[in-house]
Amino acid sequence: MQNPVIILGAQKLGTAALDIFQSNNVIVYCFLDDEVKLHQTEVNNITVMGTTDDPEFLKILGKKCEVFVAAEETATRKSLINLLKDEYQATPVNAIHKFTAVSENAWLGHGNLINAGAVINANARINNYCIIQSRALIESGAELADFVQVGAGAIVSADVTVEEGAFIGAGAVIVAGIKIGKKARVGAGAVVVADVPANQTVFGNPAQKV
């Protein structure tokens, strides 16, 4: 990546994205965040310059700058991504830490965050705007739909399907071939041995509905 990056969101996820870009020697131009009290402050020496819809900054996207959306809430991230597409014809870039292992035979969409130590094995498919935290493992043949979040140290085994907006907590294990439904939530440390329907929350070993 030759162009600098503007990060939309200056809180925890934005800080993680900054660290990822810096690990790859990518220049971060600035943060934009809607929390007014953060404006003109610095996050790890990068200034929060304005709001996430500030046209003075967003108009330079594409030719001069790339963009990454690091808003904490999924609904906010979706709204910002739609704004970027509709108003600026800009597609968020991936943030992939230097210390990850991503197979050349894996498939990645756009706007994903993949943190240090994560492993994406051959023939895994990561669609768009997913968050994969440190040391998570995505095995061969697994598929993550848009806006999926996978916590630190979680294991998504071979041929697992995770539908849009699902959340997998830190240290959870999804055994091979399981389907996690849309917007389902898997608690930290859970071991999932049966399909999880859409919008359901499960915890425990073996994971049970709560």
Short mmCIF file of all heavy atoms in Angstrom, two decimals, residues 65-108:
data_model
loop_
_atom_site.label_atom_id
_atom_site.label_comp_id
_atom_site.label_asym_id
_atom_site.label_seq_id
_atom_site.Cartn_x
_atom_site.Cartn_y
_atom_site.Cartn_z
N CYS A 65 -5.42 9.18 -0.58
CA CYS A 65 -5.50 8.45 0.68
C CYS A 65 -6.41 7.24 0.55
O CYS A 65 -7.35 7.24 -0.25
CB CYS A 65 -6.06 9.36 1.79
SG CYS A 65 -4.80 10.23 2.74
N GLU A 66 -6.12 6.22 1.36
CA GLU A 66 -7.01 5.09 1.54
C GLU A 66 -7.80 5.30 2.83
O GLU A 66 -7.54 6.24 3.59
CB GLU A 66 -6.22 3.79 1.61
CG GLU A 66 -5.28 3.55 0.44
CD GLU A 66 -5.98 3.36 -0.88
OE1 GLU A 66 -7.21 3.10 -0.89
OE2 GLU A 66 -5.30 3.46 -1.92
N VAL A 67 -8.75 4.43 3.10
CA VAL A 67 -9.58 4.58 4.29
C VAL A 67 -9.80 3.22 4.93
O VAL A 67 -9.89 2.19 4.24
CB VAL A 67 -10.92 5.27 3.96
CG1 VAL A 67 -11.77 4.40 3.03
CG2 VAL A 67 -11.68 5.64 5.23
N PHE A 68 -9.87 3.22 6.26
CA PHE A 68 -10.25 2.02 7.01
C PHE A 68 -11.30 2.42 8.03
O PHE A 68 -11.15 3.42 8.73
CB PHE A 68 -9.06 1.38 7.73
CG PHE A 68 -9.43 0.10 8.44
CD1 PHE A 68 -9.51 -1.08 7.73
CD2 PHE A 68 -9.74 0.10 9.79
CE1 PHE A 68 -9.90 -2.26 8.35
CE2 PHE A 68 -10.12 -1.06 10.42
CZ PHE A 68 -10.20 -2.26 9.70
N VAL A 69 -12.38 1.64 8.13
CA VAL A 69 -13.47 1.95 9.05
C VAL A 69 -13.29 1.13 10.32
O VAL A 69 -13.34 -0.10 10.29
CB VAL A 69 -14.84 1.67 8.41
CG1 VAL A 69 -15.96 1.96 9.42
CG2 VAL A 69 -15.02 2.51 7.16
N ALA A 70 -13.08 1.84 11.45
CA ALA A 70 -12.82 1.19 12.73
C ALA A 70 -13.82 1.61 13.80
O ALA A 70 -13.49 1.66 14.98
CB ALA A 70 -11.39 1.49 13.19
N ALA A 71 -15.04 1.93 13.39
CA ALA A 71 -16.09 2.25 14.35
C ALA A 71 -16.40 1.02 15.20
O ALA A 71 -16.41 -0.11 14.70
CB ALA A 71 -17.34 2.74 13.63
N GLU A 72 -16.70 1.24 16.47
CA GLU A 72 -16.88 0.12 17.39
C GLU A 72 -18.18 -0.64 17.13
O GLU A 72 -18.21 -1.87 17.19
CB GLU A 72 -16.88 0.64 18.84
CG GLU A 72 -15.60 1.38 19.24
CD GLU A 72 -14.39 0.46 19.34
OE1 GLU A 72 -14.55 -0.70 19.77
OE2 GLU A 72 -13.29 0.91 18.97
N GLU A 73 -19.27 0.06 16.86
CA GLU A 73 -20.57 -0.57 16.68
C GLU A 73 -20.77 -0.98 15.22
O GLU A 73 -20.48 -0.22 14.30
CB GLU A 73 -21.69 0.39 17.09
CG GLU A 73 -21.65 0.78 18.56
CD GLU A 73 -21.95 -0.40 19.47
OE1 GLU A 73 -22.71 -1.30 19.04
OE2 GLU A 73 -21.41 -0.44 20.60
N THR A 74 -21.29 -2.19 15.02
CA THR A 74 -21.49 -2.70 13.67
C THR A 74 -22.41 -1.81 12.85
O THR A 74 -22.15 -1.54 11.68
CB THR A 74 -22.04 -4.14 13.70
OG1 THR A 74 -21.09 -4.98 14.38
CG2 THR A 74 -22.26 -4.67 12.30
N ALA A 75 -23.49 -1.33 13.47
CA ALA A 75 -24.43 -0.47 12.74
C ALA A 75 -23.76 0.80 12.26
O ALA A 75 -23.99 1.26 11.13
CB ALA A 75 -25.63 -0.14 13.63
N THR A 76 -22.90 1.37 13.11
CA THR A 76 -22.16 2.58 12.72
C THR A 76 -21.18 2.28 11.60
O THR A 76 -21.05 3.06 10.65
CB THR A 76 -21.42 3.17 13.93
OG1 THR A 76 -22.35 3.42 14.98
CG2 THR A 76 -20.71 4.47 13.56
N ARG A 77 -20.52 1.14 11.68
CA ARG A 77 -19.58 0.75 10.62
C ARG A 77 -20.31 0.61 9.30
O ARG A 77 -19.83 1.07 8.26
CB ARG A 77 -18.86 -0.55 11.00
CG ARG A 77 -17.88 -0.39 12.16
CD ARG A 77 -17.37 -1.71 12.67
NE ARG A 77 -16.64 -2.42 11.65
CZ ARG A 77 -16.67 -3.74 11.50
NH1 ARG A 77 -17.45 -4.48 12.26
NH2 ARG A 77 -15.95 -4.30 10.56
N LYS A 78 -21.48 -0.05 9.32
CA LYS A 78 -22.26 -0.21 8.09
C LYS A 78 -22.64 1.15 7.50
O LYS A 78 -22.55 1.36 6.28
CB LYS A 78 -23.51 -1.04 8.36
CG LYS A 78 -23.26 -2.51 8.58
CD LYS A 78 -24.57 -3.25 8.76
CE LYS A 78 -24.35 -4.76 8.90
NZ LYS A 78 -25.62 -5.49 9.07
N SER A 79 -23.08 2.06 8.35
CA SER A 79 -23.48 3.38 7.89
C SER A 79 -22.32 4.12 7.24
O SER A 79 -22.46 4.74 6.17
CB SER A 79 -24.03 4.19 9.06
OG SER A 79 -24.39 5.49 8.66
N LEU A 80 -21.15 4.05 7.87
CA LEU A 80 -19.97 4.73 7.31
C LEU A 80 -19.53 4.10 6.00
O LEU A 80 -19.15 4.80 5.06
CB LEU A 80 -18.83 4.70 8.32
CG LEU A 80 -19.00 5.59 9.55
CD1 LEU A 80 -17.90 5.31 10.57
CD2 LEU A 80 -18.99 7.06 9.15
N ILE A 81 -19.58 2.79 5.91
CA ILE A 81 -19.20 2.10 4.68
C ILE A 81 -20.13 2.49 3.54
O ILE A 81 -19.69 2.74 2.41
CB ILE A 81 -19.17 0.57 4.91
CG1 ILE A 81 -17.99 0.21 5.80
CG2 ILE A 81 -19.11 -0.18 3.59
CD1 ILE A 81 -18.09 -1.15 6.45
N ASN A 82 -21.42 2.58 3.83
CA ASN A 82 -22.38 3.01 2.81
C ASN A 82 -22.11 4.45 2.38
O ASN A 82 -22.22 4.78 1.18
CB ASN A 82 -23.80 2.85 3.32
CG ASN A 82 -24.23 1.41 3.43
OD1 ASN A 82 -23.72 0.54 2.71
ND2 ASN A 82 -25.17 1.12 4.32
N LEU A 83 -21.79 5.32 3.33
CA LEU A 83 -21.45 6.70 3.01
C LEU A 83 -20.24 6.75 2.08
O LEU A 83 -20.25 7.48 1.06
CB LEU A 83 -21.15 7.48 4.29
CG LEU A 83 -20.56 8.89 4.10
CD1 LEU A 83 -21.61 9.84 3.54
CD2 LEU A 83 -20.00 9.42 5.42
N LEU A 84 -19.22 5.98 2.40
CA LEU A 84 -18.00 5.98 1.59
C LEU A 84 -18.29 5.50 0.16
O LEU A 84 -17.78 6.07 -0.81
CB LEU A 84 -16.94 5.09 2.23
CG LEU A 84 -16.36 5.58 3.56
CD1 LEU A 84 -15.51 4.50 4.20
CD2 LEU A 84 -15.55 6.85 3.36
N LYS A 85 -19.10 4.47 0.04
CA LYS A 85 -19.43 3.93 -1.28
C LYS A 85 -20.29 4.90 -2.09
O LYS A 85 -20.01 5.17 -3.26
CB LYS A 85 -20.16 2.60 -1.13
CG LYS A 85 -19.28 1.44 -0.67
CD LYS A 85 -20.10 0.17 -0.58
CE LYS A 85 -19.25 -1.02 -0.19
NZ LYS A 85 -20.06 -2.26 -0.06
N ASP A 86 -21.33 5.44 -1.43
CA ASP A 86 -22.31 6.24 -2.15
C ASP A 86 -21.79 7.64 -2.49
O ASP A 86 -22.05 8.15 -3.59
CB ASP A 86 -23.59 6.37 -1.33
CG ASP A 86 -24.30 5.03 -1.14
OD1 ASP A 86 -23.99 4.09 -1.91
OD2 ASP A 86 -25.13 4.92 -0.22
N GLU A 87 -21.08 8.27 -1.56
CA GLU A 87 -20.69 9.66 -1.73
C GLU A 87 -19.27 9.83 -2.29
O GLU A 87 -18.99 10.83 -2.95
CB GLU A 87 -20.80 10.41 -0.40
CG GLU A 87 -22.20 10.42 0.19
CD GLU A 87 -23.19 11.21 -0.65
OE1 GLU A 87 -22.75 12.16 -1.35
OE2 GLU A 87 -24.39 10.87 -0.64
N TYR A 88 -18.41 8.86 -2.02
CA TYR A 88 -16.99 9.04 -2.37
C TYR A 88 -16.43 7.91 -3.23
O TYR A 88 -15.25 7.95 -3.58
CB TYR A 88 -16.16 9.19 -1.09
CG TYR A 88 -16.60 10.38 -0.26
CD1 TYR A 88 -17.48 10.21 0.80
CD2 TYR A 88 -16.18 11.66 -0.56
CE1 TYR A 88 -17.91 11.29 1.55
CE2 TYR A 88 -16.60 12.76 0.18
CZ TYR A 88 -17.47 12.57 1.23
OH TYR A 88 -17.90 13.65 1.96
N GLN A 89 -17.24 6.91 -3.55
CA GLN A 89 -16.80 5.76 -4.35
C GLN A 89 -15.50 5.17 -3.78
O GLN A 89 -14.57 4.82 -4.51
CB GLN A 89 -16.61 6.15 -5.82
CG GLN A 89 -17.90 6.51 -6.54
CD GLN A 89 -18.45 7.87 -6.14
OE1 GLN A 89 -17.73 8.86 -6.22
NE2 GLN A 89 -19.70 7.93 -5.73
N ALA A 90 -15.45 5.09 -2.46
CA ALA A 90 -14.25 4.59 -1.77
C ALA A 90 -14.56 3.27 -1.09
O ALA A 90 -15.61 3.10 -0.46
CB ALA A 90 -13.78 5.61 -0.74
N THR A 91 -13.65 2.32 -1.23
CA THR A 91 -13.78 1.01 -0.60
C THR A 91 -12.71 0.86 0.48
O THR A 91 -11.52 1.04 0.20
CB THR A 91 -13.59 -0.11 -1.64
OG1 THR A 91 -14.60 0.02 -2.64
CG2 THR A 91 -13.71 -1.48 -0.98
N PRO A 92 -13.09 0.57 1.73
CA PRO A 92 -12.09 0.42 2.78
C PRO A 92 -11.07 -0.68 2.47
O PRO A 92 -11.42 -1.74 1.93
CB PRO A 92 -12.93 0.07 4.02
CG PRO A 92 -14.27 0.65 3.73
CD PRO A 92 -14.47 0.48 2.26
N VAL A 93 -9.82 -0.43 2.85
CA VAL A 93 -8.75 -1.41 2.66
C VAL A 93 -8.75 -2.40 3.82
O VAL A 93 -9.37 -2.19 4.86
CB VAL A 93 -7.39 -0.70 2.56
CG1 VAL A 93 -7.33 0.17 1.32
CG2 VAL A 93 -7.09 0.10 3.82
N ASN A 94 -8.03 -3.48 3.65
CA ASN A 94 -7.80 -4.43 4.73
C ASN A 94 -6.69 -3.93 5.65
O ASN A 94 -5.73 -3.30 5.20
CB ASN A 94 -7.40 -5.80 4.18
CG ASN A 94 -8.56 -6.53 3.55
OD1 ASN A 94 -9.67 -6.51 4.06
ND2 ASN A 94 -8.31 -7.21 2.43
N ALA A 95 -6.83 -4.25 6.93
CA ALA A 95 -5.77 -4.01 7.91
C ALA A 95 -5.30 -5.38 8.40
O ALA A 95 -5.98 -6.02 9.21
CB ALA A 95 -6.29 -3.16 9.06
N ILE A 96 -4.15 -5.83 7.91
CA ILE A 96 -3.64 -7.17 8.21
C ILE A 96 -2.28 -7.02 8.86
O ILE A 96 -1.34 -6.52 8.25
CB ILE A 96 -3.54 -8.02 6.93
CG1 ILE A 96 -4.90 -8.12 6.25
CG2 ILE A 96 -3.01 -9.41 7.27
CD1 ILE A 96 -4.87 -8.82 4.91
N HIS A 97 -2.18 -7.43 10.10
CA HIS A 97 -0.94 -7.24 10.85
C HIS A 97 0.22 -7.99 10.20
O HIS A 97 0.04 -9.06 9.60
CB HIS A 97 -1.11 -7.72 12.29
CG HIS A 97 -0.10 -7.16 13.24
ND1 HIS A 97 1.20 -7.62 13.30
CD2 HIS A 97 -0.19 -6.14 14.15
CE1 HIS A 97 1.86 -6.94 14.22
NE2 HIS A 97 1.05 -6.03 14.74
N LYS A 98 1.39 -7.41 10.33
CA LYS A 98 2.61 -8.03 9.79
C LYS A 98 2.79 -9.45 10.32
O LYS A 98 3.23 -10.34 9.59
CB LYS A 98 3.80 -7.15 10.17
CG LYS A 98 5.15 -7.70 9.77
CD LYS A 98 6.26 -6.76 10.21
CE LYS A 98 7.64 -7.28 9.84
NZ LYS A 98 8.70 -6.35 10.28
N PHE A 99 2.44 -9.66 11.57
CA PHE A 99 2.67 -10.97 12.19
C PHE A 99 1.40 -11.82 12.18
O PHE A 99 0.91 -12.26 13.21
CB PHE A 99 3.22 -10.80 13.60
CG PHE A 99 4.56 -10.13 13.63
CD1 PHE A 99 4.72 -8.91 14.27
CD2 PHE A 99 5.66 -10.70 13.00
CE1 PHE A 99 5.96 -8.28 14.28
CE2 PHE A 99 6.90 -10.09 13.00
CZ PHE A 99 7.05 -8.87 13.65
N THR A 100 0.86 -12.01 11.00
CA THR A 100 -0.23 -12.97 10.77
C THR A 100 0.26 -13.98 9.76
O THR A 100 1.26 -13.77 9.07
CB THR A 100 -1.50 -12.29 10.24
OG1 THR A 100 -1.19 -11.66 8.99
CG2 THR A 100 -2.03 -11.25 11.20
N ALA A 101 -0.48 -15.09 9.65
CA ALA A 101 -0.18 -16.09 8.63
C ALA A 101 -1.44 -16.27 7.79
O ALA A 101 -2.40 -16.91 8.23
CB ALA A 101 0.23 -17.41 9.26
N VAL A 102 -1.45 -15.66 6.62
CA VAL A 102 -2.59 -15.74 5.73
C VAL A 102 -2.17 -16.52 4.48
O VAL A 102 -1.27 -16.09 3.75
CB VAL A 102 -3.11 -14.35 5.33
CG1 VAL A 102 -4.29 -14.47 4.38
CG2 VAL A 102 -3.51 -13.56 6.58
N SER A 103 -2.78 -17.66 4.26
CA SER A 103 -2.43 -18.50 3.11
C SER A 103 -2.66 -17.74 1.80
O SER A 103 -3.64 -16.99 1.66
CB SER A 103 -3.26 -19.77 3.10
OG SER A 103 -3.12 -20.48 1.88
N GLU A 104 -1.79 -17.96 0.85
CA GLU A 104 -1.98 -17.40 -0.49
C GLU A 104 -3.23 -17.98 -1.15
O GLU A 104 -3.75 -17.40 -2.11
CB GLU A 104 -0.75 -17.67 -1.36
CG GLU A 104 0.49 -16.92 -0.91
CD GLU A 104 1.67 -17.15 -1.83
OE1 GLU A 104 1.51 -17.93 -2.80
OE2 GLU A 104 2.74 -16.57 -1.58
N ASN A 105 -3.70 -19.09 -0.64
CA ASN A 105 -4.89 -19.73 -1.20
C ASN A 105 -6.16 -19.43 -0.41
O ASN A 105 -7.21 -20.03 -0.67
CB ASN A 105 -4.68 -21.24 -1.29
CG ASN A 105 -3.58 -21.58 -2.29
OD1 ASN A 105 -3.57 -21.08 -3.39
ND2 ASN A 105 -2.65 -22.42 -1.87
N ALA A 106 -6.06 -18.52 0.57
CA ALA A 106 -7.26 -18.01 1.24
C ALA A 106 -7.83 -16.87 0.41
O ALA A 106 -7.13 -16.26 -0.40
CB ALA A 106 -6.92 -17.54 2.65
N TRP A 107 -9.12 -16.58 0.63
CA TRP A 107 -9.77 -15.48 -0.10
C TRP A 107 -10.20 -14.42 0.89
O TRP A 107 -10.87 -14.72 1.88
CB TRP A 107 -10.97 -16.00 -0.87
CG TRP A 107 -11.56 -14.98 -1.80
CD1 TRP A 107 -11.27 -14.82 -3.12
CD2 TRP A 107 -12.54 -13.98 -1.49
NE1 TRP A 107 -12.00 -13.78 -3.65
CE2 TRP A 107 -12.79 -13.24 -2.68
CE3 TRP A 107 -13.23 -13.64 -0.33
CZ2 TRP A 107 -13.70 -12.19 -2.72
CZ3 TRP A 107 -14.13 -12.59 -0.36
CH2 TRP A 107 -14.36 -11.88 -1.55
N LEU A 108 -9.81 -13.16 0.63
CA LEU A 108 -10.16 -12.05 1.51
C LEU A 108 -10.91 -10.99 0.72
O LEU A 108 -10.50 -10.63 -0.39
CB LEU A 108 -8.90 -11.42 2.11
CG LEU A 108 -8.00 -12.29 2.98
CD1 LEU A 108 -6.81 -11.47 3.47
CD2 LEU A 108 -8.77 -12.86 4.16
#
